mmCIF file with all atom_site columns, all heavy atoms in Angstrom:
data_model
loop_
_atom_site.group_PDB
_atom_site.id
_atom_site.type_symbol
_atom_site.label_atom_id
_atom_site.label_alt_id
_atom_site.label_comp_id
_atom_site.label_asym_id
_atom_site.label_entity_id
_atom_site.label_seq_id
_atom_site.pdbx_PDB_ins_code
_atom_site.Cartn_x
_atom_site.Cartn_y
_atom_site.Cartn_z
_atom_site.occupancy
_atom_site.B_iso_or_equiv
_atom_site.pdbx_formal_charge
_atom_site.auth_seq_id
_atom_site.auth_comp_id
_atom_site.auth_asym_id
_atom_site.auth_atom_id
_atom_site.pdbx_PDB_model_num
ATOM 1  N N   . VAL A 1 37 ? 21.131 83.111 111.483 1.00 0.00 ? 54 VAL A N   1
ATOM 2  C CA  . VAL A 1 37 ? 22.592 83.121 111.532 1.00 0.00 ? 54 VAL A CA  1
ATOM 3  C C   . VAL A 1 37 ? 23.060 84.565 111.345 1.00 0.00 ? 54 VAL A C   1
ATOM 4  O O   . VAL A 1 37 ? 22.730 85.203 110.341 1.00 0.00 ? 54 VAL A O   1
ATOM 5  C CB  . VAL A 1 37 ? 23.210 82.253 110.406 1.00 0.00 ? 54 VAL A CB  1
ATOM 6  C CG1 . VAL A 1 37 ? 24.738 82.353 110.442 1.00 0.00 ? 54 VAL A CG1 1
ATOM 7  C CG2 . VAL A 1 37 ? 22.767 80.810 110.536 1.00 0.00 ? 54 VAL A CG2 1
ATOM 8  N N   . VAL A 1 38 ? 23.768 85.067 112.329 1.00 0.00 ? 55 VAL A N   1
ATOM 9  C CA  . VAL A 1 38 ? 24.379 86.383 112.204 1.00 0.00 ? 55 VAL A CA  1
ATOM 10 C C   . VAL A 1 38 ? 25.734 86.140 111.536 1.00 0.00 ? 55 VAL A C   1
ATOM 11 O O   . VAL A 1 38 ? 26.639 85.534 112.133 1.00 0.00 ? 55 VAL A O   1
ATOM 12 C CB  . VAL A 1 38 ? 24.554 87.064 113.582 1.00 0.00 ? 55 VAL A CB  1
ATOM 13 C CG1 . VAL A 1 38 ? 25.133 88.460 113.414 1.00 0.00 ? 55 VAL A CG1 1
ATOM 14 C CG2 . VAL A 1 38 ? 23.214 87.121 114.315 1.00 0.00 ? 55 VAL A CG2 1
ATOM 15 N N   . ALA A 1 39 ? 25.843 86.536 110.276 1.00 0.00 ? 56 ALA A N   1
ATOM 16 C CA  . ALA A 1 39 ? 27.012 86.173 109.464 1.00 0.00 ? 56 ALA A CA  1
ATOM 17 C C   . ALA A 1 39 ? 27.938 87.377 109.302 1.00 0.00 ? 56 ALA A C   1
ATOM 18 O O   . ALA A 1 39 ? 27.569 88.387 108.697 1.00 0.00 ? 56 ALA A O   1
ATOM 19 C CB  . ALA A 1 39 ? 26.553 85.665 108.100 1.00 0.00 ? 56 ALA A CB  1
ATOM 20 N N   . VAL A 1 40 ? 29.131 87.252 109.844 1.00 0.00 ? 57 VAL A N   1
ATOM 21 C CA  . VAL A 1 40 ? 30.103 88.351 109.827 1.00 0.00 ? 57 VAL A CA  1
ATOM 22 C C   . VAL A 1 40 ? 30.986 88.216 108.585 1.00 0.00 ? 57 VAL A C   1
ATOM 23 O O   . VAL A 1 40 ? 31.617 87.176 108.371 1.00 0.00 ? 57 VAL A O   1
ATOM 24 C CB  . VAL A 1 40 ? 30.986 88.329 111.097 1.00 0.00 ? 57 VAL A CB  1
ATOM 25 C CG1 . VAL A 1 40 ? 31.899 89.563 111.128 1.00 0.00 ? 57 VAL A CG1 1
ATOM 26 C CG2 . VAL A 1 40 ? 30.129 88.265 112.353 1.00 0.00 ? 57 VAL A CG2 1
ATOM 27 N N   . LEU A 1 41 ? 31.007 89.279 107.797 1.00 0.00 ? 58 LEU A N   1
ATOM 28 C CA  . LEU A 1 41 ? 31.815 89.277 106.573 1.00 0.00 ? 58 LEU A CA  1
ATOM 29 C C   . LEU A 1 41 ? 33.301 89.295 106.914 1.00 0.00 ? 58 LEU A C   1
ATOM 30 O O   . LEU A 1 41 ? 33.759 90.131 107.697 1.00 0.00 ? 58 LEU A O   1
ATOM 31 C CB  . LEU A 1 41 ? 31.472 90.517 105.734 1.00 0.00 ? 58 LEU A CB  1
ATOM 32 C CG  . LEU A 1 41 ? 32.307 90.721 104.467 1.00 0.00 ? 58 LEU A CG  1
ATOM 33 C CD1 . LEU A 1 41 ? 31.976 89.667 103.419 1.00 0.00 ? 58 LEU A CD1 1
ATOM 34 C CD2 . LEU A 1 41 ? 32.071 92.113 103.891 1.00 0.00 ? 58 LEU A CD2 1
ATOM 35 N N   . VAL A 1 42 ? 34.039 88.375 106.307 1.00 0.00 ? 59 VAL A N   1
ATOM 36 C CA  . VAL A 1 42 ? 35.498 88.385 106.443 1.00 0.00 ? 59 VAL A CA  1
ATOM 37 C C   . VAL A 1 42 ? 36.020 89.357 105.402 1.00 0.00 ? 59 VAL A C   1
ATOM 38 O O   . VAL A 1 42 ? 36.022 89.058 104.216 1.00 0.00 ? 59 VAL A O   1
ATOM 39 C CB  . VAL A 1 42 ? 36.094 86.974 106.191 1.00 0.00 ? 59 VAL A CB  1
ATOM 40 C CG1 . VAL A 1 42 ? 37.612 87.004 106.321 1.00 0.00 ? 59 VAL A CG1 1
ATOM 41 C CG2 . VAL A 1 42 ? 35.472 85.950 107.123 1.00 0.00 ? 59 VAL A CG2 1
ATOM 42 N N   . ASN A 1 43 ? 36.381 90.542 105.841 1.00 0.00 ? 60 ASN A N   1
ATOM 43 C CA  . ASN A 1 43 ? 36.850 91.569 104.919 1.00 0.00 ? 60 ASN A CA  1
ATOM 44 C C   . ASN A 1 43 ? 38.304 91.878 105.243 1.00 0.00 ? 60 ASN A C   1
ATOM 45 O O   . ASN A 1 43 ? 38.607 92.594 106.186 1.00 0.00 ? 60 ASN A O   1
ATOM 46 C CB  . ASN A 1 43 ? 35.976 92.823 105.053 1.00 0.00 ? 60 ASN A CB  1
ATOM 47 C CG  . ASN A 1 43 ? 36.296 93.836 103.969 1.00 0.00 ? 60 ASN A CG  1
ATOM 48 O OD1 . ASN A 1 43 ? 37.339 93.756 103.332 1.00 0.00 ? 60 ASN A OD1 1
ATOM 49 N ND2 . ASN A 1 43 ? 35.394 94.767 103.760 1.00 0.00 ? 60 ASN A ND2 1
#
Side-chain angles (χ1 to χ4, degrees):
V54 177
V55 183
V57 186
L58 176 70
V59 179
N60 189 343

